[in-house]
Amino acid sequence: MIQNQKTVLIVDDNYEDRETYRRYLLQDKQYIYRILQAESANLGLELCKQAKPDVVLLDFMLPDMNARAFIDQLQAEFNNNTNKLPVVILTSQQDEAMADDEESYDYLIKEKIDAVGLRFAVHKLIEQTRLELELEISKQFIKTALNESEKRFRLFADNLDAIIWIASPDSSQHFYANKAYEKIWHRSCDSLISQPLSWLDAVHPEDYERVLVKLEQQESGQLTNIEYRIIRPDGQERWVWDRGFPIRDENGALSYYVGITEDITEQKLAHEQIRHLTETLEQQVMERTSQLQAANNELEAFAYTVSHDLRAPLRAMQGFAEALAEDYGKLLDEVGNEYIARIINSAQRLENLIQDLLSYSRLSRTDLYLQPVNLNNVMFEVMTQLDADLKAKNAQVTISAPLRAVLAHRNTIAQVIANLLTNAIKFVRVDEQPQVLIWSEIKTPGWVRLWVKDNGIGIKAEHHKRIFSVFERLHGIERYPGTGIGLAIVRKGVERMGGRVGLESLPGQGSSFWIELKDASR
Ligand code: ADP
């Protein structure tokens, strides 16, 4: 009910006209009008002040003021927010031309006014004023919401440790920078906004060129990502990490840059410390390795000399024991001859041991010249060399020929194969015929794996590694004689030729030893 009640002020010096309009309006079914009347402009303005009408019907020509002057005063008085006054100008036909000036206002020709036309004009104005008011309220609402959101953003941004900045692509303007700029640069945000390039003054001279490159990248719309140093007014140096992202408008044109700049001094220092530590550690490892290498070389040289020098007295012992047996054997009883045999036997074992030790240490000391080696030929040589042994043990050796060629040192590979084959026919159960299978295959492209598989006693998994070390033996010398150096030679030899060794074996199920060397077949 209240909503439908509207106040209309009729400002016209002609009583009849005022009455006519009043009548027309009172017939309205949509609104209930409270109608105020003024016969002069001044009175009209006064009533406007007091009653705040929803619509003013204004005669174009009033005795004390024309419509334009009236509107100007009205506008100065009330209309701050809306652009248009709720005014319908009523003009007589001869004033129509003048009324054209007021084209932004509704006007009606007095002579043509009828009830419907007048009410329509008033309805329109009421509706228009209502819409304008709603629009104004919405605008206010959006403004408040934006203010709120900006406040929240600032609160968030100013509590960040990183600088958030917004600048023009050519860096000639800085639109925004949060408080972190002051914390990191030790210069005010205001100075940055008023002198957009002033942040550059802090850049370390050695990093200046790189920062200029970043500015060029920014101007051409690229992503930027750079670490550089700045110097604070108190001379303190800081490292920063700066990244910039181009923001484009809906047409793809570069509008501005948003960036984030962090103080990474602490990370840099930590990183530097770690790098330094690593370097020192590497240096220490290198020193230690070369010390070990030197010690190892000395030890090997020592072993070689000792082994070598032991041979002369050993040979004398062997020679004299044999001479004793030959020349005085008949004079000695059985026990005496048995002692001589034991001396010769022990001397022989010692001789083997020294031989093996010498081979092993020679392997570490000499340069091995690698070349393509035909394993079939090597195999033949090894079989010939071990022929007596193979026959004595009635061993059956099957070679799955042809074997592939490998890159190796000929004598070394021959010794390696001989050692593996000797073991394969040695470590079998009593009275069992040794059966050995030898074949080659490519497991990894570029590498040849040579297998030596036996039907022997097998080896527990826990011993697989240690048997490749010097003097590691799993059995007593009486049952399975040996020096414990054979597999150490195998490993050292293969490794010195750039290859690898390994085995698959379970107790009682035979052993399969393998060596892997570079493929040399074309
Ligand atoms: P040696 O044969 O002189 O004893 P090796 O270094 O050749 O020394 O071998 C080390 C040990 O590894 C051997 O004493 C034996 O216990 C074990 N071994 C080597 N080859 C085989 C094999 N084919 N079957 C079972 N055991 C083996």
Side-chain angles (χ1 to χ4, degrees), residues 140-177:
Q140 288 295 344
F141 177 78
I142 289 169
K143 208 168 148 192
T144 322
L146 278 177
N147 274 343
E148 261 319 296
S149 117
E150 191 183 336
K151 240 190 249 164
R152 253 181 263 136
F153 168 74
R154 277 184 194 274
L155 193 71
F156 156 77
D158 284 342
N159 280 295
L160 276 182
D161 285 334
I163 305 171
I164 309 279
W165 52 264
I166 304 173
S168 59
D170 64 358
S171 311
S172 65
Q173 289 182 74
H174 250 108
F175 305 115
Y176 175 76

Side-chain angles (χ1 to χ4, degrees), residues 356 419-428 452-460 463 466-477 480-490 503 505 510-513:
D356 281 358
N419 288 8
L420 289 177
L421 190 52
T422 310
N423 282 350
I425 61 170
K426 179 163 66 173
F427 294 101
V428 284
V452 178
K453 177 179 162 68
D454 63 47
N455 62 338
I457 54 177
I459 306 161
K460 282 189 189 163
H463 300 314
R466 60 177 266 236
I467 52 171
F468 286 98
S469 301
V470 178
F471 299 140
E472 289 290 352
R473 308 197 71 248
L474 305 176
H475 310 95
I477 203 110
Y480 297 111
T483 58
I485 300 174
L487 284 182
I489 289 177
V490 168
L503 78 144
S505 179
S511 307
S512 302
F513 281 81

